[in-house]
Amino acid sequence: MSYEKKLLTQVVDSIYSSDFCDNIVVARLTDSLNGVLDDLESLNKKTELLEHQRIDFVDNLEFARSLVGVLGGFTTNDYQDTMLQLDKYEDRFMPEY
């Protein structure tokens, strides 16, 4: 293996074994969570959901809870407020399920 390939391999290995890689994962998961929360908020503003909107609502709620679980493993952030908001969304539409 050439010197350049060895050096590149060492750099890539150090990135994967550092917190840098975790920070990238956290940033992407947080971005996804924020997008899902925005979608849930827009659905929450509706007085009644159509069938496809109910399916989206349930899927988004489950996805948001999963993202919070994964983010809890990667960070020391407190997601209690997020979970409470998800509970409120669920309670609002629970009679429909």
Side-chain angles (χ1 to χ4, degrees):
M1 186 181 291
S2 70
Y3 173 75
E4 290 83 13
K5 286 184 180 181
K6 286 181 184 179
L7 184 60
L8 182 59
T9 301
Q10 289 174 347
V11 169
V12 170
D13 286 344
S14 68
I15 289 172
Y16 281 129
S17 63
S18 72
D19 289 338
F20 177 74
C21 193
D22 288 347
N23 292 339
I24 291 172
V25 171
V26 168
R28 293 188 72 162
L29 292 175
T30 301
D31 188 48
S32 293
L33 179 61
N34 290 335
V36 171
L37 292 174
D38 289 345
D39 290 346
L40 286 168
E41 183 60 31
S42 69
L43 290 171
N44 188 49
K45 291 178 182 176
K46 298 183 182 291
T47 56
E48 190 175 323
L49 297 179
L50 301 172
E51 181 62 27
H52 74 278
Q53 291 171 322
R54 277 193 281 268
I55 292 168
D56 288 346
F57 173 78
V58 170
D59 289 346
N60 284 337
L61 192 60
E62 290 174 357
F63 185 53
R65 289 186 188 279
S66 297
L67 286 171
V68 168
V70 172
L71 281 165
F74 272 97
T75 68
T76 58
N77 296 347
D78 181 15
Y79 290 97
Q80 185 65 30
D81 291 340
T82 303
M83 291 302 288
L84 289 173
Q85 187 62 41
L86 293 174
D87 290 343
K88 288 179 185 178
Y89 291 147
E90 185 175 5
D91 290 344
R92 182 172 185 280
F93 290 107
M94 189 54 83
E96 295 184 27
Y97 301 107

